[in-house]
Amino acid sequence: MDVISLVGIVAALFIVISLSEPLADWLRLPYTVVLAIIGVLIGIGAASLSSDTAISDPLTDPLAAAERLEVAIRANVFLYVLLPTLLFQVSLGLNLRRMADDWVPILVMAVMAVVVSTFAIGLALLPFTELSLVACLLLGAIVATTDPSAVVSIFRNIAAPQRLTRLVEGESLLNDAAAIALFGFFLTFVMLGVPNPTLQDALVGFPTMILGGLGIGWVLGRVCLTVLTWLGRFALAQISLSVALPYITYLVADQVLGVSGVVAVVMAGMTLNYLGPGRLSPTNWTNLRELWDVLAHWAGALIFLLAALLVPRLLGDVRLYDLFLILVVVVAATSARLFMLYAILPLLTMVRLSPRVDRPYRVAILWGGLRGAVTLALALAVSENFRVPVEVKRDVGILATGFTLFTLLVQGTTLRRVISYLGLDRLAPIDRALSSQVIAVALQNVREEVAETARAHDLTHDIVRSEAKRFAARLDSAIEKAEAADDIPDRDRITLGLVALAGRERDMILESFREQLLSPRLVEQMLSDADRLIERTRAGGREEYRAAGRLSLAQGRRALLANILHSRLRISGPLALLTADRFELLLNQRFVLRDLHNYIETKIRRIHGRRVADLLHELLRRREDETEAALDGLRLQYPGYAEKTERRFLRRIALRLEEREYDILLADGIIGAELHTTLQQGLATARHEADLRPHLDLAVQKSDLVRQFPLFTDMDDDSRKRLARALRTRYVQPGDVLRRKRDTPREVCFIATGAVEIETAGHRLRLGRGDMFGQLSLLSRQTPRAQVTAISHTTLLVLDEPRFRRLLKRSQSLRDAVLKSAEKRGLDVASLQL
């Protein structure tokens, strides 16, 4: 084919893609269904034209056969060009931090659903066809993967729970990877001239293929991130490299190393998704994501169009009995999906590993499990494989294509009607009542602004009066409806107000990110916390709002592991990084929370009333107090670093305000574009310096704490340095039990910052900065009968028994402190082994 013909075909395909979307909206059908219908119609027309012109090469594309065009659409176009693009974009767009909360149900529903569907379809077909069991399982793997784009888009339009949408998206991504991996495994069994895998190959080779794909995807993703960081000033170079990543990953994994290329591409995308925002500037990251959205849109549309063009050829030899086999596949696939949705999913919900999915949503997921581009691409790969027997090619092509057409033309065209029948497209009663009040408040605001505009522009009096009368009638009607719906319980109003408040919090985080007040590495975590806040508040109201707010302040398992590495293995890097992140996160969260009070006054009070607004103020103040307490704890532990972090925070705000002033001066015409560009360059340099986070050296922090400790004032500098190396730092939270009754004493703790409470025999004793505990039990060799609990954020300097005894012999001030503490607690000094 000449270049001119190729360009014309590509242009025609993109015209079809551009027109399909408005056509789908007009017909109220899923976009992919419209693409498939158009592709099939073009394919039928081209096939008929092909027969008229006596072109009958079975490997030649029907569209290309018509009018002397010789383009061959082969499976490699799908598997090596379009499929990596689609998978990479989906993995790049997932909210991985929120998905981590639901990784168990996502993994079970994805991998288990593919396996169940594969074997259900394979075993159901076996009695009715002459194909071998392995060939039937191959067909099952091909049609096991689902395309949830239609049901996900509808879920978003009807404001379905975000967690449910996330489960469907995550399941689909892993579903594709698992199905394609199974497809590759079963394909080797049916190919002629290729040795069949043994049981050992299945048990060792298949997991190796998956794990190898994960490994190579992670490695290449990290290598790409390193280069992207180096290309920080070249936005277009970064985007270009990201485009190369999925294809290089797929080729290296599939062709060079012989592992799963699909899994590798997914892992590379997830690696870039998780670490990219912290390595790329906000603008560059946003541009990269937007480009991949466009590429994936084109890839998905082209997959459907090109695959649909091949439908007439794949179904060219269909017989009546094949329709019965397609029906068997439909029943088996539906039964497997029913088993997952009505048996496995409720079981996961029962053990609290999955959210509760109501019956209407389960029906929507069941009916929305369309098959599409991936299924057709895999069927085409089988039909083009010269090592696959002819009868397997024929049956796989016909059954996979027929089943795909059934899901698109039957389920796809009726999906919106099913959604409507289930009532998922209707607002809940509380939302309908709220909408009346929202409309009334909005129209009142509009009336005031329209009146002000009419006065400012001196509009014709008669026109203003007639329009005002018309608008007043609409406003009166809205107020009547709002008064009639004024029976929303306060409990529901509080929930709605908190959801709105959490949504506004999320918007403010995004605004801070766009204005470069928030580090890219932290914006994803704060957005994930805000999403969790919205979801849990919507489900559980006030109590869940408070619980989710406290959860966002918790340090989690990563902090626990970092503390263990620091205190026991002397590896301080992870703890220093997490502590620095926590400083910045708490400062930004406090900044956002304080600005939310104005939102309550200007927006929520007018809709929900004074009582609800006052309660929201109180709940917000509690979150502020908890955030401030966590921040105070860090200030106590790292006073010097806290000061540097707050100074940096103020510098970034000042730079943003300065940039805003320059933009206003440019818009007003006071300065020109050349001067504005020069000023922006100066700001970019200053912002780069402000973005450099101060270094947190935990070793220096410990040395400073030892130097300030009253008990160690009589020691020289060398002795204090040796002591600082011997001491272990331990950070504890309020309420942590540091020592229980009858615990065997093995160490002494010096309180550097914070306070603890010792409870013994009904008496309570509080110790603060400069005190120590554990020394009396250790020296007297008595079983302790006291429990020690932290009552604030506390920093402890811990010394084991041998080192403490050596220190005790060298330091007179320490011996005096031990004797004084013994006398204070009424212990016999002679019993101490000094």
Side-chain angles (χ1 to χ4, degrees):
M1 172 187 295
D2 58 274
V3 175
I4 296 176
S5 299
L6 179 62
V7 171
I9 289 175
V10 172
L13 289 175
F14 276 95
I15 291 174
V16 172
I17 291 172
S18 66
L19 296 178
S20 296
E21 194 164 2
L23 181 61
D25 182 70
W26 181 64
L27 295 173
R28 295 189 59 79
L29 290 175
Y31 174 57
T32 52
V33 172
V34 172
L35 281 174
I37 293 174
I38 293 176
V40 170
L41 292 177
I42 295 176
I44 292 172
S48 62
L49 183 59
S50 172
S51 61
D52 292 340
T53 54
I55 298 177
S56 58
D57 184 356
L59 294 180
T60 304
D61 177 67
L63 181 60
E67 299 293 337
R68 299 183 305 277
L69 299 177
E70 299 175 353
V71 175
I73 302 175
R74 298 182 180 277
N76 286 346
V77 175
F78 298 98
L79 298 178
Y80 288 95
V81 179
L82 302 177
L83 191 60
T85 305
L86 207 57
L87 294 175
F88 189 79
Q89 186 274 336
V90 174
S91 60
L92 199 63
L94 292 174
N95 189 337
L96 294 178
R97 286 180 172 83
R98 295 297 292 119
M99 279 183 61
D101 296 339
D102 299 311
W103 70 271
V104 173
I106 288 174
L107 197 61
V108 170
M109 288 294 292
V111 178
M112 188 174 179
V114 168
V115 174
V116 169
S117 181
T118 297
F119 280 88
I121 294 170
L123 294 175
L125 273 177
L126 188 61
F128 304 103
T129 180
E130 296 180 357
L131 294 177
S132 66
L133 174 61
V134 177
C136 292
L137 293 176
L138 174 66
L139 175 65
I142 289 174
V143 301
T145 178
T146 59
D147 177 12
S149 57
V151 70
V152 167
S153 64
I154 292 176
F155 277 2
R156 287 174 177 166
N157 291 335
I158 63 176
Q162 293 182 16
R163 193 177 182 190
L164 179 60
T165 303
R166 192 167 55 247
L167 284 176
V168 175
E169 287 182 316
E171 179 202 350
S172 170
L173 179 64
L174 299 181
N175 197 316
D176 286 346
I180 295 173
L182 269 180
F183 162 79
F185 176 70
F186 287 128
L187 184 62
T188 58
F189 282 94
V190 300
M191 289 194 301
L192 300 174
V194 176
N196 287 340
T198 64
L199 180 60
Q200 181 179 358
D201 294 332
L203 296 177
V204 176
F206 188 68
T208 302
M209 185 171 60
I210 300 297
L211 295 176
L214 292 173
I216 193 62
W218 181 81
V219 170
L220 292 180
R222 293 301 300 264
V223 170
C224 180
L225 275 171
T226 302
V227 181
L228 287 174
T229 305
W230 180 67
L231 296 172
R233 294 187 299 111
F234 307 98
L236 295 179
Q238 288 182 328
I239 293 174
S240 301
L241 182 62
S242 75
V243 173
L245 176 60
Y247 302 107
I248 290 177
T249 303
Y250 194 95
L251 291 175
V252 170
D254 187 72
Q255 297 295 315
V256 179
L257 301 178
V259 297
S260 175
V262 172
V263 174
V265 169
V266 170
M267 188 62 190
M270 293 172 70
T271 302
L272 191 61
N273 179 4
Y274 191 78
L275 300 175
R279 306 290 181 89
L280 278 66
S281 69
T283 303
N284 291 0
W285 178 251
T286 301
N287 292 339
L288 187 148
R289 289 280 299 272
E290 289 176 350
L291 174 72
W292 272 104
D293 288 342
V294 174
L295 290 177
H297 174 72
W298 288 345
L302 286 172
I303 285 178
F304 266 98
L305 263 182
L306 296 178
L309 289 172
L310 301 170
V311 167
R313 177 165 71 83
L314 292 172
L315 294 179
D317 190 27
V318 66
R319 294 190 288 264
L320 185 62
Y321 189 71
D322 295 326
L323 300 180
F324 169 74
L325 294 180
I326 292 173
L327 180 61
V328 172
V329 174
V330 170
V331 173
T334 305
S335 301
R337 197 68 173 161
L338 283 170
F339 174 74
M340 296 302 301
L341 289 172
Y342 287 88
I344 301 300
L345 194 58
L347 183 62
L348 293 176
T349 304
M350 189 183 304
V351 295
R352 298 184 179 181
L353 291 177
S354 172
R356 182 175 180 271
V357 180
D358 294 331
R359 187 187 65 85
Y361 288 110
R362 276 186 275 182
V363 175
I365 294 173
L366 172 67
W367 199 246
L370 310 181
R371 269 61 171 183
V374 175
T375 299
L376 291 177
L378 297 181
L380 184 63
V382 173
S383 68
E384 291 180 357
N385 193 319
F386 69 93
R387 293 184 181 273
V388 176
V390 176
E391 63 276 7
V392 175
K393 289 183 182 182
R394 178 196 173 279
D395 288 356
V396 167
I398 289 175
L399 297 184
T401 306
F403 179 59
T404 302
L405 288 179
F406 172 84
T407 63
L408 291 174
L409 301 180
V410 177
Q411 294 176 216
T413 55
T414 58
L415 182 57
R416 286 192 179 273
R417 291 194 184 94
V418 172
I419 294 288
S420 178
Y421 174 77
L422 296 171
L424 294 178
D425 58 345
R426 294 190 292 272
L427 287 174
I430 186 174
D431 289 326
R432 287 199 298 271
L434 179 64
S435 67
S436 301
Q437 297 192 357
V438 169
I439 292 172
V441 172
L443 290 180
Q444 289 175 358
N445 293 336
V446 170
R447 180 180 63 178
E448 296 169 3
E449 293 184 12
V450 168
E452 182 63 30
T453 301
R455 285 192 296 269
H457 293 278
D458 196 22
L459 298 178
T460 304
H461 180 70
D462 292 338
I463 295 176
V464 171
R465 185 173 58 183
S466 63
E467 287 298 315
K469 185 181 297 185
R470 176 175 170 273
F471 190 84
R474 185 183 174 198
L475 177 59
D476 292 340
S477 174
I479 292 175
E480 290 177 5
K481 292 180 180 178
E483 291 174 349
D486 197 26
D487 57 349
I488 304 176
D490 280 351
R491 179 180 177 180
D492 292 336
R493 286 187 178 278
I494 292 168
T495 299
L496 292 169
L498 288 174
V499 170
L501 200 62
R504 176 57 185 161
E505 182 176 340
R506 192 183 193 282
D507 293 339
M508 292 180 67
I509 293 169
L510 285 172
E511 290 171 9
S512 297
F513 176 60
R514 284 192 290 266
E515 294 181 354
Q516 301 184 43
L517 301 178
L518 182 62
S519 296
R521 62 177 294 113
L522 295 180
V523 68
E524 292 293 332
Q525 181 178 345
M526 293 190 71
L527 288 175
S528 296
D529 291 339
D531 289 339
R532 182 190 298 113
L533 194 66
I534 294 171
E535 292 176 28
R536 295 187 60 169
T537 303
R538 192 184 297 276
R542 182 193 322 184
E543 294 303 320
E544 287 298 316
Y545 177 84
R546 295 191 61 192
R550 287 192 294 267
L551 188 61
S552 67
L553 297 177
Q555 298 196 53
R557 297 175 182 174
R558 292 177 61 197
L560 178 62
L561 178 60
N563 271 301
I564 293 173
L565 291 174
H566 171 68
S567 59
R568 297 185 181 179
L569 302 179
R570 313 277 177 148
I571 300 174
S572 302
L575 181 60
L577 179 62
L578 286 176
T579 303
D581 284 348
R582 185 167 173 79
F583 257 120
E584 187 173 348
L585 188 145
L586 290 174
L587 280 173
N588 282 280
Q589 182 161 319
R590 185 184 63 174
F591 181 79
V592 169
L593 291 177
R594 289 186 175 177
D595 280 357
L596 284 174
H597 287 286
N598 183 58
Y599 179 74
I600 295 175
E601 288 299 313
T602 57
K603 299 293 184 182
I604 295 180
R605 182 184 292 272
R606 299 194 66 177
I607 295 175
H608 293 294
R610 179 178 297 274
R611 283 184 304 172
V612 173
D614 290 344
L615 183 57
L616 297 188
H617 279 303
E618 178 62 27
L619 290 171
L620 199 57
R621 278 191 288 269
R622 290 184 186 179
R623 285 190 64 198
E624 285 184 74
D625 293 341
E626 292 168 352
T627 303
E628 191 66 39
L631 205 50
D632 288 342
L634 289 176
R635 289 195 187 102
L636 286 173
Q637 292 174 355
Y638 314 100
Y641 185 80
E643 180 181 347
K644 293 178 183 178
T645 302
E646 291 182 354
R647 288 181 183 276
R648 171 175 171 264
F649 182 73
L650 286 175
R651 287 194 200 106
R652 295 173 75 170
I653 293 177
L655 287 171
R656 176 54 190 156
L657 294 175
E658 185 179 352
E659 182 182 31
R660 190 179 298 170
E661 288 298 319
Y662 295 153
D663 291 340
I664 293 173
L665 293 174
L666 176 65
D668 293 341
I670 298 176
I671 63 175
E674 296 82 0
L675 178 56
H676 182 264
T677 301
T678 303
L679 295 173
Q680 288 288 348
Q681 291 173 349
L683 282 177
T685 303
R687 181 173 283 118
H688 177 71
E689 296 176 357
D691 285 342
L692 297 176
R693 205 158 54 180
H695 178 62
L696 175 59
D697 191 335
L698 296 179
V700 173
Q701 291 283 337
K702 186 167 62 173
S703 299
D704 291 341
L705 291 174
V706 172
R707 189 179 299 111
Q708 298 169 13
F709 217 91
L711 293 176
F712 307 136
T713 53
D714 62 340
M715 301 176 65
D716 56 54
D717 289 342
D718 290 339
S719 298
R720 273 198 293 265
K721 288 179 181 178
R722 288 196 299 271
L723 177 61
R725 287 194 295 268
L727 288 165
R728 291 181 289 109
T729 310
R730 183 182 301 166
Y731 306 106
V732 294
Q733 307 295 318
D736 288 353
V737 177
L738 310 179
R739 184 164 298 164
R740 301 183 185 277
K741 295 180 181 180
R742 302 189 182 282
D743 281 352
T744 303
R746 291 190 176 91
E747 57 191 19
V748 177
C749 298
F750 301 89
I751 304 175
T753 62
V756 302
E757 184 177 76
I758 300 177
E759 181 183 357
T760 176
H763 299 286
R764 297 178 184 271
L765 174 66
R766 291 193 172 186
L767 303 179
R769 181 176 179 180
D771 292 326
M772 59 180 166
F773 61 89
Q775 76 281 0
L776 298 180
S777 300
L778 190 148
L779 294 174
S780 65
R781 291 298 183 185
Q782 296 179 359
T783 302
R785 299 180 180 177
Q787 178 169 294
V788 185
T789 307
I791 57 177
S792 69
H793 293 274
T794 303
T795 305
L796 302 176
L797 300 177
V798 183
L799 200 61
D800 58 30
E801 181 179 358
R803 289 188 174 91
F804 175 72
R805 289 188 178 277
R806 287 198 296 269
L807 179 63
L808 193 62
K809 293 177 181 179
R810 296 197 307 268
S811 174
Q812 182 61 43
S813 61
L814 182 59
R815 285 197 298 272
D816 293 342
V818 170
L819 293 174
K820 183 178 179 181
S821 64
E823 293 173 357
K824 185 177 180 180
R825 299 184 196 179
L827 296 178
D828 184 8
V829 176
S831 65
L832 300 179
Q833 300 177 11
L834 295 174

